[in-house]
Amino acid sequence: MPRFRVETVLDPATGRYFNELYYPEDSALPIAVSPAVYASIKDAEIGAVEALKRAVPDQPVKVIEPTPPQ
């Protein structure tokens, strides 16, 4: 199963959040970037999951929380 990495970033110009999609998951550059439309990190997370479900409806979307730095 392919693994992607999604990072949520605050746009200081608008005060809103956007998502960056990375594939493969260890890529240094995003393959897609959403507009800065999300009011919160949680909204951006929900938007990312919904977008992936629409893009690959026949595949499960599982959110894996990042491991905290040691």
Side-chain angles (χ1 to χ4, degrees):
M1 175 186 308
R3 290 185 58 156
F4 296 84
R5 182 175 91 241
V6 178
E7 293 188 11
T8 300
V9 182
L10 176 63
D11 177 20
T14 64
R16 295 210 168 268
Y17 293 88
F18 62 93
N19 290 318
E20 296 177 330
L21 177 67
Y22 294 84
Y23 182 78
E25 66 181 318
D26 61 351
S27 177
L29 297 173
I31 60 168
V33 178
S34 75
V37 296
Y38 302 104
S40 70
I41 292 173
K42 187 65 177 174
D43 290 343
E45 180 181 275
I46 292 167
V49 170
E50 288 175 357
L52 286 170
K53 285 181 177 180
R54 282 192 309 272
V56 286
D58 57 334
Q59 296 293 318
V61 176
K62 181 178 178 185
V63 176
I64 301 171
E65 297 296 327
T67 305
Q70 302 273 343

